[in-house]
Amino acid sequence: MATAQLPESPLPPLAELHDAARVVSIPTRTRFRGISTREAVIFVGPRGAAEFSPFVEYADDESSRWLAAALEYGWAETALSLRSAIDVNATVPAVPAEQVPAVLARFPGCRTAKVKVAERGQELADDIARVRAVREAMGVDAFVRVDANGGWSVDEAAEALTALAPFGLDYAEQPCATVAELAELRSRLTRAGVPVRIAADESVRKAEDPLAVARSGAADLIVVKAQPLGGIATALAIIEEAQLPVIVSSALDTSVGISMGLHLAAALPAGMLAGACGLGTVALLAGDVAQDPMIPVEGALSVRRPTLDEGALERFRATPDRERWWLERIERCYAALAVRA
């Protein structure tokens, strides 16, 4: 994995991070990525609010990149924005088909939808019904994507994408887990005449070598997330080297983390964005930490830093044991960053 770029100035003292940290626990509207509560640390930094929210199962080494991103965003200069607004997609969890219209209603004006597929405990028939419901609700001129989070084998992905292709897919995100599998699948779909592009997500943000996807010809585009890659500067460097079209997405962040993603998307050179970005996911949370949450307006979000809502920070404050858990995690990740620095 490319080393996260830390703030040019020395790391802020650990005591300063403790003082700046507010730990929150926010319920999700539907079960998403196997969780029903999203925990996050919100830092009140000198440059503005920043977020540290690696998922709880992530190891400290991986999570330290998320801390580097928070320190960059809260304590260092932000990359120059080339756009004032970013189009975003609706995100449809692995819900029953009949719930699709209600989910889409949370994303006003969005003309692109990303649909979760390959959910454990579900079958291909469930995915087909969900994608069909999205296409029917959004119409023939909308863009529909699917995201398997690496949940299929090559054979399963080939079967599923052949079945889903008639719905006019924009692309399939991380249909298989490994770069080699993505390359094999992409080749197989091309030979079979199945017109579905392949996007790599986990194979970029969780890989030891995030550029292996581009070198292997394993994907048509890449999905990047600011926090997991270590911040905006590191993400921009990876994008420049990969030379593939880009979608910027979130990791089920609060509005603070979404703001970081928006600034990344806004800093991309002209022609690099491959469509609407996956930054509308605050709509999947049952609350937020901002006075003016990052909810799409006419399918887009303005590039800005949110103003924190002190009442919401207190309302969603994590329990004392979870606060301790996150503060101890910060200490371990900070130690890893200090060694790199």
Side-chain angles (χ1 to χ4, degrees):
M1 166 61 75
T3 301
Q5 296 188 26
L6 303 178
E8 292 183 2
S9 57
L11 292 176
L14 182 58
E16 182 178 337
L17 297 189
H18 275 198
D19 291 341
R22 307 288 293 273
V23 185
V24 295
S25 178
I26 302 175
T28 60
R29 293 183 183 274
T30 59
R31 194 166 181 81
F32 187 85
R33 203 187 167 278
I35 63 174
S36 56
T37 301
R38 185 68 170 112
E39 293 184 335
V41 177
I42 306 300
F43 291 116
V44 183
R47 298 282 183 178
E51 179 169 337
F52 171 64
S53 56
F55 293 99
V56 295
E57 69 271 19
Y58 287 4
D60 292 343
D61 182 62
E62 180 177 359
S63 299
S64 67
R65 295 195 292 272
W66 297 59
L67 183 59
L71 298 185
E72 176 196 65
Y73 197 56
W75 274 262
E77 292 284 351
T78 303
L80 178 66
S81 292
L82 304 178
R83 302 165 184 81
S84 61
I86 302 295
D87 289 339
V88 298
N89 64 246
T91 300
V92 181
V95 297
E98 59 270 20
Q99 295 181 19
V100 163
V103 172
L104 292 175
R106 301 175 194 149
F107 299 88
C110 291
R111 299 303 301 151
T112 301
K114 182 170 78 171
V115 187
K116 292 292 184 178
V117 293
E119 183 82 356
R120 288 185 181 181
Q122 295 188 9
E123 299 178 353
L124 178 56
D126 300 306
D127 295 335
I128 293 173
R130 188 178 311 113
V131 173
R132 178 185 289 112
V134 170
R135 175 57 74 195
E136 290 175 350
M138 298 190 74
V140 296
D141 61 338
F143 292 96
V144 178
R145 308 160 174 169
V146 296
D147 182 5
N149 291 115
W152 287 322
S153 67
V154 174
D155 288 341
E156 290 169 337
E159 177 188 4
L161 295 179
T162 300
L164 292 169
F167 296 108
L169 298 185
D170 184 22
Y171 60 74
E173 182 174 327
Q174 200 69 41
C176 304
T178 69
V179 171
E181 288 174 323
L182 292 180
E184 180 183 347
L185 173 64
R186 186 168 178 247
S187 177
R188 186 184 297 190
L189 293 176
T190 299
R191 293 196 305 269
V194 179
V196 178
R197 297 187 298 168
I198 301 300
D201 174 11
E202 285 89 344
S203 289
V204 176
R205 64 181 169 87
K206 293 178 73 69
E208 285 299 316
D209 180 3
L211 296 171
V213 165
R215 284 197 300 269
S216 303
D220 299 280
L221 62 154
I222 57 174
V223 177
V224 297
K225 300 177 179 179
Q227 276 206 80
L229 288 176
I232 294 173
T234 301
L236 288 173
I238 290 170
I239 291 166
E240 182 179 3
E241 288 194 60
Q243 287 298 300
L244 286 173
V246 177
I247 296 292
V248 179
S249 192
S250 81
L252 199 58
D253 306 338
T254 74
S255 284
V256 175
I258 294 297
S259 174
M260 188 192 305
L262 287 168
H263 279 84
L264 169 58
L268 289 175
M272 290 299 293
L273 274 179
C277 290
L279 296 169
T281 52
V282 168
L284 299 176
L285 300 176
D288 190 47
V289 297
Q291 292 182 13
D292 186 14
M294 296 287 192
I295 301 297
V297 176
E298 295 301 318
L301 291 171
S302 61
V303 180
R304 59 184 174 85
R305 282 182 178 266
T307 301
L308 293 177
D309 182 334
E310 288 296 328
L313 287 169
E314 187 59 35
R315 184 163 61 254
F316 294 114
R317 183 175 179 175
T319 59
D321 62 313
R322 296 307 298 164
E323 285 187 340
R324 285 193 301 272
W325 188 91
W326 277 96
L327 291 176
E328 290 170 358
R329 190 183 204 188
I330 289 170
E331 291 174 3
R332 297 193 304 270
C333 292
Y334 183 91
L337 292 182
V339 169
R340 291 183 207 163

